[in-house]
């Protein structure tokens, strides 16, 4: 998440090239199911499965959209990550209450949603997908 926050800060200051470099660094943490960073390492459940964070998917979507608004072409090389993030986020939405669950695991190659719903994760998802903030952030001369 710190890479995304730094990238958005840099984009606010008008440097798309450096933001794109940070974006590419972020994509290197993608393991096909989620972002496997230092915070995730060692955070396995009792069966040894990695517990991924849904909010990190939303942060990726947020940064992707911000770069898209700047006219960045490099993002399209990583559209498969963007699409997978949206797919998992959709799965994480509680069908009854509408909130977004915080965590997920991969069991036998399948995404299994775990964790509680909370306001923070739900808010980040809503801002990443539905708000104009990525456009506002990208409106500096990049």
């Amino acid at each position: 998440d710190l890479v995304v926050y730094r990238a958005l800060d840099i984009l606010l200051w008008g440097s798309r090239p450096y933001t794109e470099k940070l974006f590419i660094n972020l994509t290197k943490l993608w393991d096909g199911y989620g972002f496997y960073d230092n915070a995730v390492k060692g955070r396995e459940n009792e069966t040894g499965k990695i517990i991924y964070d849904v909010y990190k998917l939303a942060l990726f979507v947020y940064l992707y959209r911000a770069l898209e608004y700047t006219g960045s072409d490099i993002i399209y090389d990583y559209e498969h990550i963007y699409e997978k993030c949206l797919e998992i986020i959709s799965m994480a939405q509680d069908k009854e209450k509408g909130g977004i669950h915080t965590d997920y695991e991969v069991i036998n190659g399948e995404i299994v949603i775990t964790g509680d719903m909370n306001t923070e994760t739900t808010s980040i998802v809503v801002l990443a997908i539905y708000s104009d903030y990525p456009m506002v952030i990208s409106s500096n001369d990049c």
Side-chain angles (χ1 to χ4, degrees):
D1 52 338
L2 295 178
V3 173
V4 174
Y5 298 140
R6 179 67 178 145
L8 291 170
D9 182 52
I10 294 297
L11 196 58
L12 277 168
W13 287 96
S15 178
R16 186 177 80 193
Y18 187 54
T19 301
E20 289 174 332
K21 180 180 176 183
L22 292 172
F23 176 82
I24 290 169
N25 287 343
L26 177 62
T27 65
K28 292 176 183 174
L29 298 173
W30 181 257
D31 68 2
Y33 297 105
F35 293 98
Y36 190 75
D37 59 7
N38 288 332
V40 172
K41 293 176 186 172
R43 196 177 150 220
E44 292 84 15
N45 67 11
E46 60 279 349
T47 64
K49 301 288 183 191
I50 299 168
I51 300 171
Y52 294 95
D53 298 301
V54 173
Y55 83 92
K56 291 179 184 177
L57 305 175
L59 289 175
F60 180 85
V61 168
Y62 196 107
L63 180 57
Y64 184 99
R65 288 186 62 219
L67 281 169
E68 185 175 37
Y69 283 118
T70 69
S72 175
D73 290 330
I74 63 112
I75 60 169
Y76 300 112
D77 292 337
Y78 306 97
E79 191 169 14
H80 64 285
I81 297 174
Y82 175 79
E83 294 296 332
K84 189 67 173 181
C85 288
L86 291 175
E87 177 186 334
I88 296 169
I89 288 169
S90 177
M91 293 169 65
Q93 184 172 19
D94 191 86
K95 306 304 180 225
E96 185 179 315
K97 297 182 179 164
I100 306 294
H101 288 267
T102 57
D103 307 315
Y104 64 99
E105 307 171 8
V106 179
I107 300 175
N108 298 323
E110 298 292 324
I111 304 292
V112 177
I113 304 301
T114 60
D116 298 327
M117 287 177 287
N118 71 18
T119 303
E120 295 85 359
T121 301
T122 302
S123 297
I124 291 171
V125 166
V126 168
L127 291 172
I129 296 174
Y130 298 110
S131 77
D132 289 337
Y133 289 129
M135 181 179 61
V136 171
I137 285 176
S138 69
S139 65
N140 289 328
D141 295 329
C142 298

